[in-house]
Amino acid sequence: DAGVIQSPRHEVTEMGQEVTLRCKPISGHNSLFWYRQTMMRGLELLIYFNNNVPIDDSGMPEDRFSAKMPNASFSTLKIQPSEPRDSAVYFCASKPNLSGNYEQYFGPGTRLTVT
Amino acid sequence: EDQVTQSPEALRLQEGESSSLNCSYTVSGLRGLFWYRQDPGKGPEFLFTLYSAGEEKEKERLKATLTKKESFLHITAPKPEDSATYLCAVLRGAQKLVFGQGTRLTINP
C-alpha cells in the first residue's frame, strides 16, 4: 500500500515567488492535515480537512498561505508570496474516519528553502 | 492552553543501556496521548496511543506508560537502530494533535 505522497521533496525558491506543495493522501482516508516543522517551533498544525472540507485553519500563519482539497485524493498548500521565514519542512498527513481512531499517517515531507 | 513538554531534549546511551523519555502535558480532559518516532529526513511514524491513566503499550524494546500528568517512553536494552527523535502529542478537540519538541535519542554501539 502506498503511503502519503508529497511533492516536490525539496523546493528552493527566491523570496517573493509563489510556491505550491502537493499531497496525495492514503486511499480511503477522509481527513488530511498540513503541518510545518522548524527547529524553533517544532511540528505545528496549519490546517486540516475532513471529507475535502476545511475544518480548522487557525494554524495558518497569515494570508500568504492557502490550502485546497479539490477531491479526496489531492491537496495543495500554496504560499504567495514566499518569504525566507517560510523555510521549513512541510508535512502532509492523513487518517481514516473511524470511530475512536486518531492515528495520523505522515508523508515524507517537502523541505522548502526560501532565499 | 494545551501544552506538551518533552525531556530531555537529547539523550545519548550506550547499546543495551535502558532509559526513559518523559512527556508532561497540561490539557483539559485528555482524549489521547500519542508517541511518534521520526528518523532524519522522514515524516513521523506512529508508535502508540494511550487513552487513560494507568494504560501501558509495548512494542519490541519500547513501552509507553501514562499517568494523569505525564507519559514515559521506556527503552529497554536499546540498539543503534533505535536512534531517532521521539515525539509526543496530545489530542485537542476532535482531530488536532499538539506536539512536543521531541527527544533526540542516540544509541552508540
Side-chain angles (χ1 to χ4, degrees), chain A residues 11-108:
Chain A
E11 177 81 42
V12 180
T13 190
E14 291 184 350
M15 182 174 64
Q17 296 298 306
E18 177 180 297
V19 175
T20 299
L21 311 181
R22 297 172 174 79
C23 174
K24 177 179 170 56
I26 294 172
S27 177
H29 283 194
N30 306 92
S31 296
L32 183 140
F33 307 79
W34 281 101
Y35 289 87
R36 177 171 68 176
Q37 187 174 42
T38 62
M39 289 292 291
M40 289 296 296
R41 299 177 66 90
L43 193 58
E44 303 175 284
L45 178 66
L46 300 177
I47 184 172
Y48 80 91
F49 296 82
N50 194 36
N51 293 323
N52 311 338
V53 176
I55 303 299
D56 187 335
D57 64 355
S58 59
M60 295 285 260
E62 44 198 282
D63 292 345
R64 298 184 296 106
F65 286 69
S66 62
K68 294 182 179 180
M69 192 164 187
N71 58 62
S73 58
F74 184 66
S75 177
T76 60
L77 178 68
K78 186 177 292 187
I79 308 172
Q80 165 64 18
S82 58
E83 296 183 3
R85 59 193 168 122
D86 301 330
S87 297
V89 181
Y90 291 81
F91 289 102
C92 175
S94 69
K95 67 175 281 295
N97 275 2
L98 299 175
S99 176
N101 182 312
Y102 304 102
E103 301 161 17
Q104 298 180 17
Y105 297 84
F106 284 76

